[in-house]
Amino acid sequence: MRDDGGADCTKFVDTGSNTIPRSKFGNIMHSDPNMSSTVNDEDFSIRNSSASAVTPGFFDPNRLSCEGSPMTMSPWNNTSPFTKSPWANFEENIPQNGLIGSLVREEGHIYSLAAKKDLLYTGSDSKNIRVWKNLKEFSGFKSSSGLVKAIIISGEKIFTGHQDGKIRVWKVSPKNLSVHKRSGTLPTLKDIFKSSIKPSNYVQVRNHRSALWIKHSDAVSCLSFNEDQTLLYSASWDRTFKVWRISDSKCLESISAHDDAVNSVVATTEGMVFTGSADGTVKVWKREQPGKTTKHNMVQTLLKQECAVTALAVNTSGSVLYCGSSDGVVNYWEREKQLSHGGVLKGHKLAVLCLAAAGNLVFSGSADKTICVWRRDGNIHTCLSVLTGHTGPVKCLAVEEDREQSKPGDQRWVVYSGSLDKSVKVWSVSELAPDVNQVAMMQQQQHYAMQPDRGDPATSEDSSRAGRMF
């Protein structure tokens, strides 16, 4: 399984009584839009594993392990990337953790997102990359081939990873910020030509074929920058990750990292790089720079399990690594002097397909069509909300600080979620929101407070029983 289903968590949508104005985004959605999905729940069936090959002492060997059948790819769609489609707007106020708006376009499944300041980039299997500003369509550009599986931004450059194994580079025009022009491809045509002359530059890939080591021979699944954004890391279904120097677009290194597709790569502080694969492992790599070259050595295998590793994320400080899997579980490791397993987050019924971390929050998107919002307090993670509304698997997430609504002691975030229901939803999330158990208790208390006082002993007994539910 490449990157395609969880765990038990009583699901509540936090609709809280505290509301905040959202003048920037206009009005807010109350009900879910009528959207169709081409992916069925049956595509992500869960099965009990006969054995669980996990690192001893780290994990429960009796937990569920599952795999989903490959997601059905929709046919190419030739819709123009410039057709207008406004964001749907709803009510004036929204709860602390609530929906701001939704973009629905019958163009293609949303596979990738990237947010920077007031711009949102979306990639789909229509080959189009769209640019949104303040939740309105701003511009768009189209790649020649390959659905857009990854988007990452550095300064005025946008890097996109594609199903066809290529990384395309785009540049924003300084004269017109809505114009994006392709400035190159990784590897460059010049480097391909130079490398192709030497037989030693060819390596064996699948089906007994040979290919240049500087080229990915299968889909590019993920992109990540190092800390100072001088290096770009690309993960691929060809079982490798590659290291690119941004300044001259050179491929510095190609590492045969796993025994199956590499679904995620994350570079963090101090030259540390993490990779997660469909082979069920998470590996740690350390970058060394002897002289002018760059070399990555594997220093640790954090996880070894039957089910696929589908997503990785590191918190802002680089102190916690999160790993999502096809069994719906999120494992995390805490780093002090070394990485040690901190526990698991169980909030999904199907595969975790994407992760994002911001501030003290972690977001997990799943094939069960929901997004869990987790808050980290020291070593404890609490599920604040389960965001519902998508009618298809949640494939990608992006998070930006909400500068307008954030206040001292109350950090707020704008969360973008892309789904295989062909929509992008935008959420407002507060770090101070009550967790799902608190919300449920408040709802129960409010319900019983509204009941007439009949002096019936059964009323008191029912109330006590309701409290024990949580």
Side-chain angles (χ1 to χ4, degrees), residues 384-440:
L384 296 187
S385 304
V386 180
L387 306 178
T388 62
H390 280 296
T391 61
V394 180
K395 192 66 180 67
C396 48
L397 292 166
V399 186
E400 279 280 277
E401 181 184 358
D402 190 339
R403 294 178 179 84
E404 289 188 7
Q405 298 298 330
S406 290
K407 300 173 183 176
D410 182 12
Q411 181 71 63
R412 293 178 184 263
W413 305 91
V414 177
V415 180
Y416 303 93
S417 58
S419 169
L420 301 190
D421 64 12
K422 304 181 181 180
S423 80
V424 175
K425 291 189 182 297
V426 190
W427 315 82
S428 175
V429 175
S430 167
E431 292 195 5
L432 293 184
D435 64 50
V436 291
N437 289 335
Q438 291 174 312
V439 172

Side-chain angles (χ1 to χ4, degrees), residues 26-41:
N27 296 329
I28 311 301
M29 186 177 293
H30 223 351
S31 59
D32 298 325
N34 183 20
M35 295 182 290
S36 61
S37 174
T38 59
V39 182
N40 300 318
D41 289 341

